[in-house]
Amino acid sequence: MPGVVVTTSALSAASTSDVPESGRAFFAGRVERGSTTAPIRVRSLGELRMLCGDRQNYGAVWDACRDAFNEGIGEIYIARVVGTTPVAATITLNDRAGTPLQTIRVTAKEVGAWANGWKIKVEAGSISGTVTIRVQQTVNGVDVDREVHANLATVADIALRGATSSFVWTNLNSATAAPNNLPAVATSTLASGSDDSGTITAASYVAALDLFTADYGSGTVAIPGFAPSTVAGSSTIGAGIKAHVSAFRRHGTICAAPGTTYSSALTEVASFRGPGAENVVYIWPAIISTDGRVERTLTAEGVVAAWRARAHKQFHPGRVPAGSIATAASLVRPEFTVSEDVANALDAAGISVIRTVYGKVQLYGWRSLSTDENYPTANIADLRNTLAYDLARTVADDVFGDIDSDGQFASRVKGKLEGRLAAIKRRGGLYGGVDQNGKKDPGYRVDVDSLNTPTSIAQNVFRVIVYFRPSRHASLISIELVYTPTGVTFAVAA
């Protein structure tokens, strides 16, 4: 199959850019409205309201998005979860005949109960022989115009409104002669929309992750609001996230549910630790968040996604989003406070803790759930996964290019890849070294020369190996204080 294929592996120690897109979040969950067949892209709280509706008590995604935007994230994709047989709200409008016939059916483009109660108000147009149709939503007892379609002369004109409307306007081909086949002056109310919420299970949330195909690139994946051990058939929410991020080379965030105690977190995280979990973190405790009026105890996916995005934007995709870079900018605080000893025990168990440090709320750890010693923290796999997407995109324009015998194609591909790696190195993401001959290396190497022979090139495959050495982070700064008596002097450096 044509394209760019990237495989990844790890070298043990015994063996001798800036990519802001990687900071995006992928959330699966229930929202009031929106597509159920493709992810909904939102870049602000205003877009969230416009595309997904207002906050509802039945879903945690809205709160997670609000917290994420308050903490500075730039982009979120939402996979909307509905039941097995959701229904769109609809109403049928009658014409003006003495014995009225059905002439227009109005149906919400998006399934769900969101449009129930919306009104279709037909009134005489300002031009003779036309109608003006208002689509209204009742807000605090007041009917507010959401759409106005003015001076429509024919039923065919009305049917064309669907191109710019949130509703489909279907011509029912009334037998009444024009102009009396226009809808009668009246106000009708949309009804019968349903999310079919009674059939939604934890498995529905896991299945929704399938909307986030590889085309959407790297980022962090979460299902806000669920205890990660919630059963989904023979699987769990946490296991579903692990499976998705492993298949699509993304980062996964699993968060403890509100009320999860320290001891319960230790038990829960143990079920998710193991091989293949190097790109997943478990966050404890839940957070207490406010919208300025009401405090709510929520899972922490939103703030964690934003702190990760902040680290990627300000530094590089391998930066640990913990400590000062992950200081809460909005009004959030951890549900529980912990002592230093408890925090250390949680860290040792693979739990990343949100805690108050010197008066500031911070994420104070980024432990991966892997038992592979190559991946003690999740940032290493995060960098690897981001590179997989970014390097493939970097050379995408060279697919189907001519592989010449003079090495120009090889040099072009190598140069592009080295350029992307150099950008990450400049921002601190790669750790330079010195080889056995005393020659410095930049922390990466792109090998094309040893792999491409006339035989392999004859297969129309150009092979590249990229080696990279991630920078390590200082999770502990050890300071030794030495008391000396008055008579002791110190050597002063020249």
Side-chain angles (χ1 to χ4, degrees):
M1 179 178 178
V4 180
V5 177
V6 179
T7 58
T8 61
S9 59
L11 290 178
S12 67
S15 303
T16 48
S17 135
D18 186 359
V19 191
E21 296 87 351
S22 66
R24 65 170 61 93
F26 300 97
F27 291 159
R30 294 188 64 193
V31 289
E32 184 182 30
R33 60 180 298 187
S35 173
T36 58
T37 58
I40 307 163
R41 182 190 185 206
V42 293
R43 294 165 294 179
S44 67
L45 198 56
E47 277 194 347
L48 178 66
R49 286 195 175 95
M50 179 176 67
L51 298 176
C52 297
D54 293 324
R55 181 187 183 276
Q56 304 296 316
N57 290 330
Y58 54 67
V61 167
W62 209 95
D63 288 325
C65 289
R66 183 202 60 223
D67 286 343
F69 287 126
N70 285 343
E71 290 292 322
I73 203 169
E75 182 179 50
I76 301 171
Y77 282 93
I78 299 169
R80 183 186 173 202
V81 175
V82 294
T84 54
T85 54
V87 179
T90 187
I91 189 66
T92 299
L93 307 181
N94 291 330
D95 64 20
R96 303 177 177 188
T99 302
L101 300 177
Q102 295 180 344
T103 186
I104 288 286
R105 180 183 298 114
V106 185
T107 307
K109 287 182 177 178
E110 300 159 354
V111 297
W114 67 271
N116 290 343
W118 284 43
K119 297 176 181 178
I120 306 297
K121 184 176 183 180
V122 181
E123 56 191 25
S126 60
I127 299 175
S128 178
T130 68
V131 294
T132 290
I133 300 178
R134 300 180 184 274
V135 179
Q136 298 179 325
Q137 180 184 17
T138 302
V139 180
N140 296 325
V142 178
D143 292 336
V144 178
D145 287 343
R146 296 307 188 193
E147 298 178 13
V148 178
H149 306 285
N151 300 320
L152 303 172
T154 68
V155 174
D157 288 341
I158 297 173
L160 291 174
R161 297 306 97 193
T164 57
S165 173
S166 294
F167 299 84
V168 176
W169 304 75
T170 304
N171 185 348
L172 299 180
N173 297 309
S174 164
T176 303
N180 286 334
N181 62 344
L182 286 170
V185 172
T187 298
S188 305
T189 303
L190 287 145
S192 303
S194 170
D195 295 79
D196 194 23
S197 58
T199 63
I200 296 175
T201 65
S204 306
Y205 291 83
V206 174
L209 297 177
D210 291 341
L211 291 181
F212 302 134
T213 61
D215 293 337
Y216 290 93
S218 60
T220 188
V221 178
I223 301 177
F226 267 92
S229 56
T230 300
V231 173
S234 60
S235 183
T236 66
I237 290 289
I241 292 173
K242 283 177 61 179
H244 176 88
V245 298
S246 177
F248 290 93
R249 292 185 178 134
R250 292 183 176 129
H251 173 267
T253 301
I254 298 173
C255 290
T260 302
T261 62
Y262 153 63
S263 57
S264 295
L266 288 173
T267 300
E268 189 168 62
V269 74
S271 66
F272 298 116
R273 298 206 70 185
E278 67 270 12
N279 47 352
V280 184
V281 295
Y282 179 98
I283 307 295
W284 181 89
I287 59 170
I288 298 174
S289 174
T290 178
D291 59 7
R293 296 174 301 169
V294 179
E295 284 192 342
R296 297 182 177 93
T297 304
L298 309 169
T299 51
E301 295 89 352
V303 293
V304 172
W307 294 335
R308 175 182 173 276
R310 191 186 299 167
H312 284 216
K313 180 179 179 181
Q314 295 184 15
F315 294 94
H316 54 81
R319 177 63 155 82
V320 170
S324 63
I325 193 69
T327 299
S330 55
L331 299 176
V332 299
R333 66 181 189 274
E335 181 183 18
F336 301 112
T337 58
V338 295
S339 66
E340 190 76 19
D341 289 342
V342 169
N344 289 336
L346 290 166
D347 184 79
I351 297 175
S352 301
V353 182
I354 298 175
R355 51 184 294 210
T356 301
V357 181
Y358 299 120
K360 299 178 180 179
V361 175
Q362 296 181 344
L363 177 61
Y364 220 64
W366 196 241
R367 295 296 305 273
S368 88
L369 298 185
S370 176
T371 52
D372 183 341
E373 63 181 12
N374 286 299
Y375 298 101
T377 50
N379 60 304
I380 300 172
D382 211 359
L383 175 60
R384 178 201 66 191
N385 294 337
T386 300
L387 284 174
Y389 278 105
D390 190 38
L391 297 184
R393 183 177 55 205
T394 297
V395 297
D397 289 344
D398 295 293
V399 175
F400 299 114
D402 294 325
I403 305 174
D404 61 283
S405 60
D406 297 326
Q408 295 183 20
F409 181 87
S411 295
R412 182 167 67 251
V413 169
K414 182 177 181 180
K416 287 182 176 181
L417 296 176
E418 288 180 337
R420 295 305 300 157
L421 292 162
I424 294 174
K425 171 64 167 62
R426 286 194 297 271
R427 303 191 71 171
L430 299 174
Y431 188 82
V434 179
D435 67 17
Q436 57 189 353
N437 298 316
K439 183 179 179 181
K440 289 185 177 180
D441 76 72
Y444 61 86
R445 181 164 72 89
V446 179
D447 185 0
V448 298
D449 300 325
S450 64
L451 303 170
N452 297 289
T453 65
T455 300
S456 65
I457 290 173
Q459 299 172 357
N460 297 318
V461 177
F462 187 80
R463 293 179 172 84
V464 183
I465 294 181
V466 175
Y467 301 90
F468 69 101
R469 187 185 304 114
S471 295
R472 299 294 175 161
H473 66 282
S475 60
L476 177 67
I477 298 176
S478 178
I479 301 174
E480 181 180 0
L481 291 176
V482 180
Y483 163 76
T484 63
T486 307
V488 175
T489 59
F490 300 105
V492 179

